[in-house]
Amino acid sequence: MAEQTYTDQEFKVIGTRPRRPDGVDKVTGRARYGADAFAPGQLVARVLRSPHAHATIKKIDTSKAEKMKGVKAVITSADLPDLTEGNRGNFDILENCMARGRALYHGHAVAAVAAIDEPTARKALKAIKVEYKVLPHVTDVDAAMADDAPIVQPHVQQDGKPSNIANVSQFGHGDVDGGFAEADVVIEKSYKTEQTHQGYIEPHACLASVGPDGQGELWVTTQGHFTFRTVCAQLLGMDIAKLKVTSSEIGGGFGGKTHVWMEPLALALSRKANRPVKLVMGRDEVFMGSGPTCSTSMDVKIGAKKDGTITAAEATLRYQDGPYPGPWGMLGAMTSFACYDLPNVKTVAYDVLVNRPKVAAYRAPSAPMAAFGVESTMDLVAEAIGMDPVDFRIQNAAKEGTRASYGPTYGPIGIGPTLDAVKNHPHMQAKLGPNQGRGMACGFWFNFGGQTCTDLNIGTDGTVNLTVGTVDVGGARASMSLIAAEELGISYDKVKCNIGDTASLGHNDTTEGSRGTFSSGMATIFAARAAVDVLKQRAALMWEIDVDDIEWKDGAAHAQGVAHSNLAPLTLEEIAKKSPQTGGPIAGHNEVVADGAGVSFASHICDVEVDPETGSTRVLRYTVVQDAGKAIHPAYVEGQFQGAAAQGIGWALNEEYVYGEDGRLQNPSFLDYRIPVCSDLPFIDTEILEIPNPNHPYGIRGVGETSIVPPLAAISNAVSNAVGVRLDHIPMSPPRVLKAIKDGNGA
Amino acid sequence: MRYEAPTSSKEAAKLLAGTKGKAVVLAGGTDLLVRMKMGHVEPDLIVDIKRIEATQAIKKTASGFKIGAGVPGATMGRNSALKKAWPGVVEAAELIGSDQIQGRCTIAGNLCNASPAADSVPAMVAAGAKAAVVGPNGRRTVAVEKIPTGPGKTSLKKGEMIESISLPKKAPRSGDAYLRFIPRTEMDIAVVSAGVNLTLDNKGVVKMARVALGAIAPTVVLVEDAAKAIVGSKLDEEALSALAAACEAACKPIDDMRGTIEFRTEVAGVLGRRAAKLAYERAGGKS
Amino acid sequence: MPTVSLSSGFQDAADGAASVDIEAATVRELLRLLLERYPRMQSHFDEGVAVSINGDIYRDIRDLPIPTDAEVFLLPRLQGG
Amino acid sequence: MSGVQVSTTINGDVEEFVCHPGETLLDVLRNRLGLIGAKEGCGTGDCGACSVTVDGELVCSCLVLGAEVEGRKVTTVEGLADGNKLHPLQEQFLDNAALQCGICTPGFLVAAKALLDRNPDPTEEEIRYALAGNLCRCTGYDKIVRAVDAAAKDLRAEAKKAAKKKAAKKAKKA
């Protein structure tokens, strides 16, 4: 563990902004994503989906489809292993990929076909006859908690009775009732947020090939090809080592590509047809049949003294998980008050099952909704005690030694510094016009590490192949190359970083939880250091001196001491050139559990203008301040901040899943699921703070997620300051804002 | 499925009329191809009308403008004479989708798609546009508001297609405008929209007006009461309020994922008022 | 002897205890002894747990030495996006 | 279903193919001609990832039939570079880190080129509205807008230089 510790070293290339190594491929159209692979003899697969929100599947007749010319395989759950008696988690994953006896949401897959071309596959789907018995459904989280709600999963029980409440989680410390009694002001308010989707532009896509010998390959767009391999092999009864999974270039994931959705179906179709099978989701299928994040409902209560001290805080959170239990409410409960130093705090979260798609992780999963409730209430309390909202937050900000609301005590953290930066930012002083308002809010995310395995091989010309097993979701190859160059002391362009497939590296955890740069960065540092040890040994052989007399600096071996003062340094290139005669290839390898990722905080400022006659909100100016620990490639760190803020802005203003009375999703398209377009947004200013993570040699914390947390509340606070109405329902779509203005919701 | 690209309207009408199954007209394709992709329509015959010369040009005629049914929005936007005469119609056409959609979408297609939210239709209705319809029994000219009869339904008979849309000659001291409300700044379907066309006398008093609203009823609605509310006025506050009230009264909208009844009704009045002011300014009126 | 604080989800399995004193030198030993004392913890362990030592959260590392007087928390294993 | 035979020009090369009557240009490019630069993000004209130009007009290739491009000139992202010289837009996208996942990048490049071809000096607002038909979920558009602005500057400088050179040549001749 000692080697994992932060050392305040001086950097030569870390912190510079070179072009990414995969850049030319991506600007010339050559880069290959999930749908860009083709195999000889490949079939096209399509999936038939349930038109009902909740139904018993009485019968599926595929006989007509199977007889059609050009149809090579048809599968239903009957063609997949029955995991009823096994691990419930695996059963749930497979049942979500293909309904078994019951459809649990509109869009739940019920059958799949593989045919020689797309028109044939479409026709075959039409020929499949499914007999449903429609059941009562529930899609709203509060309705699902009612006593008489239709039950989504009969095996899930509370107090011995079937219930849609899958889990109850509680966190906190102190005595909240006592704390509220001490407060001069107590504000309690309820909030709701609607369901949103990650909205990656690349739909799920894969090319599967399985032979009768049980060996297979899967080309897939994923955040975790090693995890996909394990899960697919387990679900289908394959040997893990016999399934090779290659991660294609990934066209966005944001958590949505951490789970399998239809890949096991492609493998099963290929196995049945004994031909390669390509399966690509349509955009409507992505919305209906992959995993969005939760819709929520919550009550938040905060009490403070007139001097600005918070005496107690409490939140009750109800998170909707889709039809399968997840950890989502729990994460909301853990993150909600993490920004603050609270003597008395309590959060209770309910994970609730409904007839909507299975929820997946979405960038800092569960944190943005809870932050919306908490940070809106923070502004209300500040207003009630007559304090500036930034000063109020500064006074109560968590710091080193604060006991976090989720339990442990913080080490060095960045919430205070981000708030100070906000307070001193020129944005805070800029003038506002009529119907304009400014808001700010804070956010927290944990960041993760995890299992990581990296290979570094040095060629005889001194160039370096770095192979990592975390996928490159947005410039990671550039960051990894910078780290390898830094450690070896060579220039950035001498390193070529590749993403290894599952046959070329040991297991790597999924690229989630902002872990990519933190953990693969750590493994790269250690792999490079291992290679440096080999380089020094080789130099020792070349010089015929003791390896202990050699120091590595600036990309060369330096012989130490007067005895060797006649020896000019041997560069990496020179040592590599002689490697065939000094023991063969030079490599460094590392496998590590990169735990101890540092927590990360962000504070955002935004200005909006609201049209009081239409309720339309425009974001005029936006500033992100976030702690990165250490920014390896600052341009891509800024990019993460900006992208996360943009997703938060979309969530705050217009994005939502709209369900009809019939339980059907009404807007599964980019036309009516409205993610921000270019003209909706201003430039998003960024300020990177670097408060080193003590558990990483470079101080890296991970940067990908935190900045999606504050925007919902920051914008809501800004809208409130612009037109004097407090929105308690996200998204703040024009009809909701106009209604609030008409109703005079000035609370 | 067959694809044909005839070179005359007569030939196109013959193909459309002569097919046993489902025959569809392909102009810009920005609605048709989406419906095909979603499986909402499976045509047996696609008749691409863009190889017909008469559909390809914008012509200035003695009586106004003739816009071919295959002319995309982007081309309309580049026609300065058209833009000068009918800024509201051109702006409405240019609001249909992105630049990519603009490269293909046509106002004739927008009309035939028969969506109550079609952007160009309220502007065309306000402008008094007419459609030149070609069919197996020859040609006829129809006021554009008579083409859509309900969501996705038109009065065109089997074999009929629109060859061009005509706009009248711009009257002196007249102006038109189109405004719509969308949640984003681009790429959305109108939640509610308003087209206004008016002519002033030499004292700046409105002597003729046409007001059309979109997305507030099964078809685009020509609101005569709204026009009456401003005729004879200099578009003072009282007239504008009466116009807004008439717009609201004309609304029979639905609650859907794009907007509520309450919202659409309220904003119809707001947009009617704003569009009227803009048209008035364009007509040379000073408020 | 380290005191292990249990977040609420685990307390039921620990007969309602909010914290437990366990003599353990490493995370692995700690988890083993915890399970020996409270066999009902098994289902939580199957779902995944994380251990926080002096504020740093560890999901997978088991060989980590636990310093004396360390603050130790048993947390649910987290998922990210 | 009978195939339609089509002869067209793609990125300057004559291409001939047979496609289904209802097959989109996007599917033809990707599945029949191996031009995978255009991506399908939605298939309904809402994301712009499949942007190409047909006879110079910017379109979504998912909303064009393959059969329609008979005799037309199609340009895709693969036709943007001049031999091994990247287009200034491509250079600036790389220098400004204007791509993260990169799936939307080909569409943005094609759309941005269409913009700069007709408006060499766009304002920020003009850039934003011209690119509103291209969805990007990673970047918040910030660095994309900056890259297009920088490329516009480069192109204007190039044009100025070329004009100067031409003038000098003319003067020399005279």
Side-chain angles (χ1 to χ4, degrees):
Chain A
M1 287 306 295
E3 71 224 23
Q4 202 178 310
T5 306
Y6 172 71
T7 55
D8 187 11
Q9 73 187 89
E10 256 183 54
F11 294 116
K12 287 205 171 69
V13 293
I14 298 295
T16 61
R17 302 172 178 233
R19 285 185 175 188
R20 61 197 285 167
D22 50 327
V24 170
D25 279 355
K26 285 180 176 158
V27 297
T28 55
R30 247 177 271 171
R32 287 165 73 232
Y33 292 81
D36 297 335
F38 302 86
Q42 83 180 24
L43 302 173
V44 175
R46 300 280 303 171
V47 176
L48 185 69
R49 295 178 180 277
S50 167
H52 306 296
H54 196 191
T56 304
I57 299 168
K58 295 173 76 178
K59 199 177 152 194
I60 306 179
D61 181 2
T62 59
S63 57
K64 238 175 150 181
E66 279 170 71
K67 281 184 206 127
M68 284 173 66
K69 220 172 165 185
V71 173
K72 300 297 176 185
V74 182
I75 58 165
T76 66
S77 62
D79 298 273
L80 297 168
D82 186 348
L83 306 176
T84 311
E85 301 302 318
N87 175 295
R88 184 79 213 183
N90 280 344
F91 175 88
D92 286 353
I93 294 171
L94 190 59
E95 191 198 37
N96 185 52
C97 292
M98 181 68 87
R100 181 172 288 273
R102 55 193 189 147
L104 294 174
Y105 54 93
H106 173 218
H108 199 166
V110 293
V113 302
I116 51 163
D117 59 16
E118 165 94 22
T120 311
R122 275 176 175 244
K123 248 190 247 162
L125 287 193
K126 288 206 160 171
I128 298 173
K129 294 285 165 252
V130 187
E131 214 179 294
Y132 295 99
K133 179 176 180 268
V134 177
L135 302 172
H137 65 269
V138 60
T139 56
D140 179 76
V141 62
D142 291 321
M145 288 177 77
D147 284 340
D148 56 350
I151 293 297
V152 179
Q153 293 278 15
H155 75 91
V156 171
Q157 305 207 327
Q158 290 290 333
D159 305 323
K161 278 192 306 202
S163 168
N164 290 325
I165 299 172
N167 284 307
V168 186
S169 320
Q170 190 178 319
F171 291 88
H173 53 254
D175 165 19
V176 285
D177 292 335
F180 285 123
E182 277 174 49
D184 295 318
V185 168
V186 176
I187 303 275
E188 188 170 8
K189 195 165 169 60
S190 299
Y191 302 90
K192 253 184 122 95
T193 70
E194 293 300 328
Q195 184 155 39
T196 58
H197 193 275
Q198 300 83 353
Y200 31 81
I201 307 301
E202 180 199 29
H204 297 272
C206 68
L207 176 61
S209 181
V210 183
D213 57 358
Q215 299 193 51
E217 292 189 15
L218 180 67
W219 164 275
V220 60
T221 175
T222 172
Q223 289 175 247
H225 44 306
F226 292 90
T227 308
F228 270 39
R229 173 181 67 165
T230 308
V231 170
C232 287
Q234 278 175 358
L235 295 180
L236 298 173
M238 297 172 72
D239 292 335
I240 287 177
K242 290 183 189 159
L243 178 61
K244 181 172 107 174
V245 182
T246 307
S247 68
S248 69
E249 293 302 330
I250 174 172
F254 316 110
K257 288 175 183 166
T258 58
H259 304 233
V260 297
W261 304 108
M262 46 68 163
E263 296 77 7
L265 306 184
L267 287 162
L269 283 166
S270 173
R271 184 157 69 179
K272 194 166 178 183
N274 192 20
R275 297 257 295 261
V277 168
K278 185 162 172 176
L279 179 51
V280 181
M281 275 195 191
R283 178 54 54 184
D284 53 338
E285 293 181 281
V286 175
F287 281 114
M288 290 190 295
S290 69
T293 190
C294 324
S295 55
T296 71
S297 141
M298 67 191 105
D299 314 314
V300 180
K301 187 176 174 185
I302 298 175
K305 286 188 185 158
K306 280 197 179 119
D307 68 1
T309 315
I310 297 178
T311 56
E314 188 174 1
T316 305
L317 311 160
R318 296 166 290 272
Y319 278 52
Q320 163 272 114
D321 289 8
Y324 300 102
W328 314 118
M330 180 194 81
L331 286 170
M334 293 177 80
T335 56
S336 43
F337 290 108
C339 291
Y340 300 108
D341 186 355
L342 304 170
N344 307 296
V345 57
K346 181 179 167 188
T347 53
V348 181
Y350 297 90
D351 276 291
V352 184
L353 307 184
V354 300
N355 296 110
R356 293 192 185 209
K358 170 179 149 174
V359 160
Y362 177 17
R363 205 168 199 160
S366 305
M369 307 80 137
F372 166 58
V374 168
E375 292 292 303
S376 295
T377 312
M378 285 294 285
D379 260 34
L380 289 171
V381 176
E383 196 189 344
I385 59 172
M387 208 171 160
D388 173 78
V390 182
D391 291 336
F392 179 53
R393 285 174 173 86
I394 289 175
Q395 185 173 335
N396 292 288
K399 51 196 167 290
E400 185 164 3
T402 293
R403 182 162 179 202
S405 56
Y406 59 87
T409 303
Y410 288 125
I413 55 170
I415 180 67
T418 63
L419 280 164
D420 291 340
V422 160
K423 189 166 173 61
N424 299 319
H425 201 284
H427 185 164
M428 290 304 280
Q429 267 65 54
K431 280 222 168 66
L432 291 166
N435 298 319
Q436 296 181 354
R438 176 167 300 137
M440 64 84 51
C442 302
F444 159 89
W445 183 245
F446 297 100
N447 298 331
F448 306 155
Q451 298 182 68
T452 312
C453 181
T454 292
D455 243 346
L456 186 149
N457 291 286
I458 300 176
T460 49
D461 63 351
T463 56
V464 174
N465 255 150
L466 174 67
T467 307
V468 301
T470 48
V471 306
D472 184 347
V473 289
R477 289 182 187 88
S479 301
M480 294 307 119
S481 300
L482 281 169
I483 291 172
E486 184 73 47
E487 284 297 322
L488 296 171
I490 58 176
S491 71
Y492 170 78
D493 57 13
K494 294 286 182 196
V495 183
K496 166 77 183 171
C497 180
N498 311 287
I499 310 302
D501 61 43
T502 59
S504 61
L505 279 177
H507 176 84
N508 278 266
D509 280 347
T510 300
T511 308
E512 62 175 357
S514 300
R515 73 175 286 270
T517 309
F518 171 79
S519 36
S520 267
M522 191 186 290
T524 299
I525 291 169
F526 297 153
R529 289 178 185 174
V532 165
D533 286 343
V534 178
L535 286 161
K536 279 156 67 179
Q537 283 158 15
R538 300 300 176 85
L541 289 174
M542 287 165 73
W543 276 327
E544 298 183 31
I545 67 171
D546 195 306
V547 72
D548 292 339
D549 291 341
I550 297 175
E551 190 197 13
W552 188 265
K553 64 173 185 203
D554 300 335
H558 294 255
Q560 302 292 297
V562 277
H564 306 312
S565 60
N566 59 331
L567 297 175
L570 275 171
T571 65
L572 179 142
E573 196 178 328
E574 289 165 330
I575 301 167
K577 196 173 169 189
K578 290 278 188 262
S579 63
Q581 287 80 42
T582 58
I586 299 173
H589 180 82
N590 181 259
E591 55 266 321
V592 65
V593 175
D595 257 340
V599 295
S600 154
F601 295 87
S603 295
H604 291 192
I605 319 165
C606 87
D607 295 353
V608 301
E609 181 171 324
V610 181
D611 179 341
E613 288 187 322
T614 64
S616 172
T617 303
R618 285 218 63 178
V619 178
L620 304 173
R621 183 170 178 182
Y622 204 98
T623 302
V624 173
V625 182
Q626 188 181 320
D627 174 18
K630 176 72 201 170
I632 302 301
H633 190 304
Y636 289 109
V637 173
E638 292 162 2
Q640 289 296 321
F641 291 5
Q642 290 163 339
Q647 283 185 319
I649 292 168
W651 195 339
L653 292 178
N654 281 312
E655 293 179 33
E656 65 178 308
Y657 269 42
V658 181
Y659 277 88
E661 290 289 315
D662 56 5
R664 291 184 176 137
L665 179 61
Q666 306 211 327
N667 59 334
S669 74
F670 274 142
L671 182 63
D672 286 307
Y673 182 89
R674 304 185 191 96
I675 77 172
V677 302
C678 195
S679 47
D680 290 341
L681 298 177
F683 285 121
I684 296 168
D685 296 329
T686 56
E687 190 172 329
I688 304 172
L689 302 187
E690 295 188 327
I691 294 135
N693 172 13
N695 298 312
H696 191 285
Y698 289 4
I700 296 172
R701 285 184 189 268
V703 297
E705 294 171 285
T706 312
S707 271
I708 199 175
V709 184
L712 280 59
I715 293 170
S716 182
N717 290 339
V719 168
S720 170
N721 291 331
V723 283
V725 293
R726 172 61 57 182
L727 272 294
D728 54 12
H729 195 161
I730 293 280
M732 293 171 277
S733 58
R736 286 198 186 108
V737 174
L738 189 62
K739 189 165 190 314
I741 292 171
K742 293 272 150 199
D743 296 351
N745 290 353
Chain B
M1 195 189 288
R2 266 193 317 145
Y3 168 88
E4 297 288 349
T7 52
S8 76
S9 300
K10 215 173 148 185
E11 206 186 322
K14 205 174 149 190
L15 280 163
L16 290 166
T19 305
K20 274 201 190 110
K22 174 94 183 155
V24 293
V25 173
L26 169 62
T30 50
D31 287 312
L32 176 64
L33 264 70
V34 174
R35 287 193 289 137
M36 283 166 63
K37 170 94 183 174
M38 302 317 290
H40 297 163
V41 58
E42 285 178 30
D44 299 289
L45 173 68
I46 299 168
V47 179
D48 180 358
I49 60 165
K50 290 191 295 300
R51 308 272 169 176
I52 302 167
E53 214 184 313
T55 67
Q56 285 304 292
I58 301 173
K59 279 193 187 133
K60 202 170 173 183
T61 62
S63 56
F65 289 90
K66 195 183 239 183
I67 302 159
V71 172
T75 306
M76 287 176 67
R78 287 181 208 127
N79 190 308
S80 47
L82 180 66
K83 219 170 165 171
K84 201 173 163 212
W86 293 105
V89 173
V90 175
E91 278 165 9
E94 286 190 296
L95 281 175
I96 306 169
S98 58
D99 278 17
Q100 284 86 340
I101 302 299
Q102 282 294 306
R104 296 269 293 171
C105 70
T106 68
I107 53 172
N110 203 218
L111 182 65
C112 293
N113 191 48
S115 159
D119 275 312
S120 66
V121 179
M124 283 198 280
V125 170
K130 291 188 167 51
V133 177
V134 179
N137 302 319
R139 295 169 173 271
R140 59 190 181 110
T141 304
V142 189
V144 291
E145 56 267 38
K146 303 282 184 215
I147 298 284
T149 54
K153 291 196 174 69
T154 70
S155 58
L156 294 175
K157 297 184 189 75
K158 185 166 170 76
E160 283 190 325
M161 59 163 267
I162 292 177
E163 187 184 70
S164 64
I165 303 274
S166 297
L167 289 170
K169 200 169 170 182
K170 182 188 177 312
R173 291 185 301 277
S174 70
D176 78 329
Y178 171 79
L179 294 172
R180 65 169 183 185
F181 183 82
I182 54 170
R184 292 183 288 191
T185 53
E186 269 284 2
M187 299 303 288
D188 288 334
I189 303 290
V191 179
V192 49
S193 61
V196 176
N197 173 31
L198 46 78
T199 308
L200 311 181
D201 66 14
N202 52 16
K203 291 198 184 79
V205 174
V206 179
K207 65 174 187 186
M208 186 288 296
R210 283 168 73 87
V211 178
L213 297 177
I216 49 92
T219 61
V220 167
V221 176
L222 183 65
V223 188
E224 281 169 17
D225 285 348
K228 273 186 205 151
I230 55 170
V231 169
S233 81
K234 284 188 167 182
L235 220 62
D236 48 84
E237 184 50 40
E238 197 182 325
L240 282 169
S241 296
L243 171 136
C247 286
E248 290 183 21
C251 288
K252 289 179 193 67
I254 52 166
D255 265 329
D256 70 2
M257 59 182 169
R258 291 173 186 150
T260 58
I261 292 172
E262 190 187 352
F263 181 80
R264 286 190 159 110
T265 307
E266 173 92 25
V267 176
V270 172
L271 292 185
R273 176 193 279 265
R274 290 181 184 177
K277 276 168 107 168
L278 185 54
Y280 188 74
E281 262 169 48
R282 284 176 175 168
K286 286 185 182 71
S287 43
Chain C
M1 183 168 359
T3 300
V4 185
S5 303
L6 304 176
S7 54
S8 69
F10 303 115
Q11 292 175 9
D12 187 40
D15 305 333
S19 65
V20 192
D21 292 331
I22 286 184
E23 185 79 51
T26 66
V27 173
R28 187 185 313 283
E29 191 181 2
L30 175 97
L31 294 178
R32 176 169 55 79
L33 294 173
L34 201 58
L35 192 58
E36 277 175 16
R37 200 178 304 174
Y38 304 113
R40 285 198 293 139
M41 283 277 181
Q42 187 62 53
S43 65
H44 294 295
F45 283 27
D46 291 345
E47 284 170 20
V49 294
V51 176
S52 156
I53 296 172
N54 290 333
D56 295 325
I57 299 173
Y58 299 92
R59 295 200 304 173
D60 290 307
I61 291 182
R62 293 285 180 266
D63 300 330
L64 198 68
I66 302 175
T68 37
D69 303 329
E71 177 203 74
V72 183
F73 260 91
L74 189 67
L75 296 169
R77 191 182 167 88
L78 308 172
Q79 258 184 289
Chain D
M1 197 178 306
S2 52
V4 184
Q5 186 149 0
V6 179
S7 174
T8 189
T9 304
I10 297 179
N11 299 329
D13 297 324
V14 174
E15 297 275 3
E16 297 199 345
F17 58 85
V18 176
C19 67
H20 298 306
E23 193 171 332
T24 64
L25 174 60
L26 175 62
D27 283 343
V28 168
L29 291 171
R30 294 177 50 81
N31 301 334
R32 298 192 187 273
L33 304 177
L35 293 167
I36 58 162
K39 308 295 183 192
E40 180 168 319
C42 67
T44 50
D46 300 312
C47 80
C50 65
S51 296
V52 303
T53 59
V54 177
D55 286 351
E57 202 71 75
L58 180 67
V59 298
C60 286
S61 60
C62 72
L63 294 185
V64 177
L65 293 178
E68 286 185 79
V69 300
E70 167 70 33
R72 312 278 190 203
K73 286 190 176 65
V74 179
T75 306
T76 71
V77 70
E78 286 92 343
L80 219 57
D82 179 8
N84 68 359
K85 187 175 172 286
L86 294 180
H87 188 277
L89 276 163
Q90 293 171 312
E91 300 275 6
Q92 289 294 353
F93 266 60
L94 294 176
D95 282 341
N96 283 278
L99 52 143
Q100 282 178 35
C101 82
I103 192 90
C104 68
T105 308
F108 268 99
L109 289 166
V110 171
K113 177 160 186 302
L115 165 69
L116 299 185
D117 282 350
R118 60 171 199 275
N119 180 1
D121 194 3
T123 62
E124 182 205 331
E125 194 182 14
E126 285 169 339
I127 294 173
R128 287 191 181 274
Y129 276 89
L131 299 179
N134 294 80
L135 297 182
C136 169
R137 193 60 159 170
C138 294
T139 64
Y141 306 102
D142 185 292
K143 293 179 191 301
I144 293 175
V145 175
R146 291 179 200 280
V148 173
D149 185 53
K153 277 197 190 86
D154 290 349
L155 282 162
R156 289 198 302 274
E158 257 178 42
K160 212 168 156 187
K161 220 165 121 188
K164 235 181 186 172
K165 217 170 163 185
K166 210 172 159 188
K169 223 175 177 180
K170 218 173 166 185
K172 213 173 166 187
K173 250 188 186 168

